[in-house]
Amino acid sequence: MYQVKDLDWTDSYDTIVVGIGAADTIDEGLDALYNGRVKSLIQSADISTKTGELSIVPTFEGTVKRILFVGLGQRNENTTENVRNWFGKVAKEIKARAFTDVAIALETFESNGALFAEAYEMATYEHPTYKSAPKDSAAEVTITLLGNVDQTEVEKGAARGRGVNVARKLTMMPANILTAEALADYAVELAERHGFNHRIVEKEEMEGLGMGALLAVNQGSKLPPKLIVLEYNGAGEEAPIAVVGKGVTFDTGGYSIKPKDGIVGMKGDMGGAATVIGLFETLATTKPAVNVLGVIPATDNMISGDAFKPDDVITAMNGKTIEVLNTDAEGRLVLADAVTFAKTYDPQAIIDVATLTGGVLVALGTDVTGCLTNDDALYGALEEASRETNELVWQMPYFDVFINKVRKSEVADLNNSPGRFGHMIFGGAFVGEFVGDTPWLHLDIAGTSERPAANELGPKGPTGVMVRTLSTLLDGWNR
């Protein structure tokens, strides 16, 4: 789909995409396509140089049918994130107009092919539907990237975009279709397609391993849980980086039941699992020089005569006992056993990703992912990667005052819900009790896993957040 060529204004294309700033000197080759009239077209507002505005102007001469101009303003706004968004707008325009032969003059954006490919994949994605009349297929398009372009980097950019879309698709799927078993099947198919090692830990084996926290959450369900294990090997015998994703395929809240408005959308409570699977889709192409272990505890949280209850005391895989004060604080329970399982691989670091708490929404809104960590250097590397992808993160306090409240119980080692105030931090601090001294990042994506409206890089709904940031972090791993 993506071709690479040097820029030559005399080549034949249906459409060339060009960035143009307010103070730009007009390229002679470009100007020739309009008989030297580009400046006059700007003056007459047929071509806009305003930031992010698109103008489509047919040519008068040559072998190019039309040029899609993208306004770059004064070019001091030419940041990576702005260019990514401009590329997203271009991608949507290409799809909407069913253009099939498009060239991107990357030098005019002072940008690279990887960024365009990443943006194109994300911006043109549409969520799956289950309507009886399927939509017509989109027209096939050939994208030619003009300039000094590294084809390998282009493919990596596209892979990151595709990984985001895998996560979006999974998060959007209804819970009656994407059960724990179906999620496991999807992960196995992905692993076999890309040559990853994989393993599915079944309920009987979980019982033997003592995974009482995960099994407690599953008690109310008719469907068995699955512990999904994926392994990418890019560094021989080195210890892996473990990425653990919460895979609660539907969350009723259990006996601490959610209200009728809050329960809608709980098919997306496996957004952390989707991020892990999307990341592994990306790893197949980006091939970082690290080993990566993916662990996904998958179950739904249902209500029945067998469901776990407030006041129950359960025992996690590492032997710690937990007083259940809130059955809707189930994500930290499944993560507890998953993190303990990941530690059996002696990982360099553990990163858990979860739609864990409504508290992170109250604290940080829908644009920033909350983070807890026991390792400032590891957080610094994450923050640097997030600035590159513009998936914003913010470090929350991880003080003893929070940890001590998680440890407060008259009947058990821990409680799973110390209270309402600060509960985003309590959720992460609870998971931290199972991490030990392994370097650790906790990413609460409850606010960022879905967006309330479409933007330049995708539709309303699931975002696939953190796939690109974790991919970027792993690419630059140097611990």
Side-chain angles (χ1 to χ4, degrees), residues 93 100 151 237 325 353 385 409 436 466:
E93 193 75 11
T100 58
Q151 183 78 49
E237 298 302 316
L325 298 181
V353 190
S409 172
M466 289 293 122

Side-chain angles (χ1 to χ4, degrees), residues 9 11 13-16 18 29-35 37-38 41 47 56-69:
W9 295 109
D11 284 344
Y13 302 101
D14 284 348
T15 306
I16 296 182
V18 174
L30 170 63
D31 211 22
L33 295 174
Y34 292 95
N35 289 327
R37 295 173 55 194
V38 171
L41 288 168
I47 298 173
I56 298 178
V57 184
T59 60
F60 302 116
E61 300 289 342
T63 56
V64 177
K65 184 180 293 185
R66 67 183 73 84
I67 293 184
L68 195 166
F69 290 95

